[in-house]
Amino acid sequence: TGALTAEDQIKAGQALFAGTCSTCHQPNGEGMEGVFPPLAKSDLIKANPKRIVDIMLHGLTGPVTVNGKDYNSVMPPMSQLTDDEVANIGTYVLNSWGNPGGKIDKDEVAARRKAGGPAAAAEH
């Protein structure tokens, strides 16, 4: 916890991703075609990089198209993760596999968590 550099967040996020996200999205971020969308070079992330915070906090349900392929499964909310953990995973994903880069901080996550809301509708 505390103020981390983007590099520190990426390292922490990589470890968290390996234990929390890689089962579905795969260690290389490629996902599982037709089941779990890729995070690698994701046009969904590129279109709205900070949306990954809402998806992690509130889940994602319904059909979604990522990189020209259709998916229709459920990602449950990752409500067990702390604000720091969500920020670190998000920063890691933003800076990996050809994504646009950027940094997510824990205060931003806390604000998004407080705003609440149902699982994000798949709009892409």
Side-chain angles (χ1 to χ4, degrees):
T1 65
L4 299 177
T5 66
E7 292 78 24
D8 290 336
Q9 279 191 280
I10 291 167
K11 283 183 188 176
Q14 183 176 21
L16 289 163
F17 182 91
T20 307
C21 315
S22 66
T23 301
C24 296
H25 294 289
Q26 303 303 295
N28 61 5
E30 294 292 329
M32 297 177 79
E33 192 167 335
V35 183
F36 302 114
L39 302 175
K41 300 176 188 164
S42 169
D43 60 357
L44 183 96
I45 292 172
K46 185 178 179 183
N48 184 356
K50 301 291 178 117
R51 185 171 179 221
I52 62 174
V53 171
D54 289 327
I55 293 171
M56 282 190 281
L57 290 175
H58 307 297
L60 180 69
T61 60
V64 63
T65 302
V66 178
N67 299 343
K69 299 194 184 220
D70 296 327
Y71 299 86
N72 189 5
S73 59
V74 174
M75 178 178 159
M78 299 285 108
S79 54
Q80 78 278 13
L81 298 174
T82 67
D83 295 343
D84 282 310
E85 291 169 333
V86 170
N88 293 342
I89 292 169
T91 299
Y92 169 66
V93 170
L94 287 178
N95 290 280
S96 299
W97 315 303
N99 285 322
K103 185 176 185 329
I104 297 170
D105 68 45
K106 66 180 181 177
D107 295 333
E108 180 179 358
V109 175
R112 303 297 292 185
R113 186 186 304 271
K114 188 175 180 184
E123 309 165 350
H124 187 69

